DNA sequence: CCTGACTAGTTGACGCGTCACCCAGTATCT
DNA sequence: AGATACTGGGTGACGCGTCAACTAGTCAGG
């Protein structure tokens, strides 16, 4: 009814619109920088980070999907493209005929080592350099709350 | 601000990762809800909102693109799909043989009127219900700063 | 009027992401 | 051993988004 009003307050609307806009423009800016300084996309970067974090740069596809919080299908598509560009390679799993490993190639390792410093610099420059520790804490609190709600919603969906 | 230290602090990393995750999961959740309650996608919704905000539900394509901050190409692609589903219609502009109007059809109007309440409810439930006015202000401040940096970066790019 | 620059909008190709479905290998139960 | 279910992973189709190239209409200068 009118008591819990169906719309957003002025302030909420303003923050919401800007938030949405930032959420489209920030990834776009990061993507541009990454493309300018390397041949990597943002998702490429995420995959390569996971692989470098792993001993031997070798992971089971499903483990990688879980670490990235990606769907198996999405990862499969993406790995196919990355494999085509020589960034990763697939290997069979001796113990399980269904599974496969994803292995970081030397090109892949070289690519992310080349790209990482400028990428981190860009993240810092676009966000953290202008956001103090107190603001960061407030932001973190909001993000955590929204994530908690999203998880709640996800649980209730199953 | 220590622009020379190459990595992020612990706190910054934590907030950054959660932020990224929220930025992928929040649109996904909103999209799911919209699809469940209507036949609209999030971009469809944005387009329809603009059209209903306009007198007569009739806008020049370029004006629409500017209002949405979309590229002309993206809008053109999207309008083609929406036109195929009967949500909008194109009309010629008498005064300028190049241009065209986008017109909201009655199906389009019905679709967004049906979808809007649940969508707003979801936004409120996922975000604003758990974020107080003080936190909202802090969030707004951060968002504004990041947007300012993005605009600065965009200007320097041209 | 004609030519050249500019503008409105479209198209095609490609990367990204989801959904529905498929396939093959493994585990289990009898 | 054979039927069945489950699991790891892949595919195809389609919507979304960007980039580069294109078409057609307009406009300004000669």
């Amino acid at each position: 009814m009118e008591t819990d009003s169906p719309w957003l307050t002025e302030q909420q609307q303003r923050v919401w619109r800007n938030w949405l806009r930032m959420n489209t423009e920030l990834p776009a800016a990061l993507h541009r920088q990454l493309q300018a300084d390397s041949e990597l996309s943002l998702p490429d970067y995420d995959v390569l980070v996971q692989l470098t974090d792993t001993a031997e740069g070798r992971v089971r596809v499903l483990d990688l999907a879980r670490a990235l919080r990606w769907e198996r299908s999405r990862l499969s598509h993406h790995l196919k493209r990355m494999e085509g560009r020589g960034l990763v390679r697939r290997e069979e799993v001796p113990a399980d005929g269904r599974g496969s490993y994803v292995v970081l190639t030397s090109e892949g390792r070289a690519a992310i080592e080349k790209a990482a410093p400028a990428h981190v610099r860009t993240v810092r420059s676009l966000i953290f350099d202008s956001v103090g520790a107190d603001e960061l804490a407030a932001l973190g609190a909001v993000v955590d709350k929204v994530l908690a709600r999203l998880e709640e919603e996800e649980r209730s969906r199953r």
Side-chain angles (χ1 to χ4, degrees), chain A:
Chain A
M1 303 285 196
E2 289 305 314
T3 43
D4 67 338
S5 108
W7 307 109
L8 302 178
T9 70
E10 192 89 4
Q11 187 200 20
Q12 287 173 337
Q13 279 189 48
R14 191 189 130 274
V15 174
W16 178 235
R17 268 198 299 268
N18 287 342
W19 167 294
L20 285 177
R21 192 176 140 212
M22 186 193 60
N23 281 2
T24 65
E25 296 192 5
L26 186 53
L30 293 174
H31 179 77
R32 271 196 307 272
Q33 174 271 317
L34 214 44
Q35 291 276 314
D37 295 2
S38 64
E39 301 288 284
L40 299 179
S41 70
L42 232 31
D44 292 338
Y45 188 90
D46 293 340
V47 169
L48 293 178
V49 163
Q50 290 299 325
L51 285 173
T52 50
D53 277 1
T54 306
E56 315 295 325
R58 166 193 317 268
V59 201
R60 284 290 294 262
V61 170
L62 196 53
D63 293 336
L64 184 51
R66 271 193 281 261
L68 291 164
R69 296 173 184 268
W70 285 12
E71 292 191 3
R72 295 184 328 292
S73 162
R74 171 182 178 187
L75 182 54
S76 180
H77 283 302
H78 202 89
L79 289 176
K80 180 158 59 174
R81 290 189 293 264
M82 291 182 74
E83 196 173 15
R85 293 188 291 139
L87 298 170
V88 300
R89 173 173 22 100
R90 282 178 169 101
E91 277 182 18
E92 290 181 7
V93 178
D96 188 337
R98 300 165 294 187
S100 57
Y101 287 121
V102 189
V103 189
L104 186 60
T105 64
S106 47
E107 294 100 310
R109 187 175 298 274
I112 191 166
E113 282 174 357
K114 173 161 170 281
H119 178 66
V120 176
R121 223 162 20 241
T122 306
V123 170
R124 285 167 46 86
S125 140
L126 287 180
I127 302 146
F128 296 109
D129 279 355
S130 51
V131 174
D134 47 341
E135 286 174 313
L136 188 61
L139 173 62
V142 173
V143 169
D144 288 349
K145 280 188 182 176
V146 174
L147 280 178
R149 280 294 293 120
L150 284 167
E151 269 164 28
E152 197 178 311
E153 186 263 358
E154 190 200 347
R155 269 198 310 281
S156 78
R157 219 172 54 246
R158 289 173 314 197

